[in-house]
Amino acid sequence: MADRMMVAVWVALSAVAIYGGPTSLPIHTARCLVNGTYYSPGESFQRDPCSPCFCGDNGQTNCAIVDCFFTPCVNPVNDPTKCCPICPDGIYIA
C-alpha cells in the first residue's frame, strides 16, 4: 500500500512539474481589431477621415466624430482624403 501512495505522490508531483502553474500560461494583451488590422492599447488610427480613433486598454475601439462647420464658399468640394469640404477656387460667400 505504501508503494501505491509513493507512486501516486510521484505522479502528482510529475504532473505539477510538467504542466506548471498558472504563471506559465502566456499572457495575452487585449487588442483592437478594425477592418482586419490589429491595434495595440494606446495606439491611435483613423477609421476614415472624419473618425480619429484609439485602442483602449480593454481592447475596445474608441472613436470621435468630427463635425464640419458651414463651408463659406460658393462651390465647396468634398475631397475623399479630408473630412470636411474645402474651398478650392477661393470664391467665398459675402
Side-chain angles (χ1 to χ4, degrees):
M1 178 112 159
D3 289 336
R4 285 186 185 177
M5 282 184 114
M6 276 178 94
V7 169
V9 169
W10 182 79
V11 169
L13 290 175
S14 296
V16 170
I18 292 169
Y19 294 109
T23 57
S24 66
L25 297 174
I27 298 171
H28 297 285
T29 305
R31 296 187 300 167
C32 300
L33 175 61
V34 178
N35 298 329
T37 302
Y38 284 99
Y39 297 94
S40 299
E43 191 174 356
S44 59
F45 57 95
Q46 292 225 198
R47 192 168 45 193
D48 60 56
C50 291
S51 300
C53 305
F54 75 94
C55 181
D57 291 335
N58 58 359
Q60 290 291 98
T61 301
N62 300 293
C63 298
I65 298 172
V66 176
D67 190 18
C68 299
F69 294 104
F70 172 73
T71 307
C73 58
V74 177
N75 297 316
V77 174
N78 289 321
D79 181 344
T81 63
K82 303 209 182 310
C83 180
C84 299
I86 57 172
C87 301
D89 57 10
I91 302 172
Y92 292 91
I93 298 172

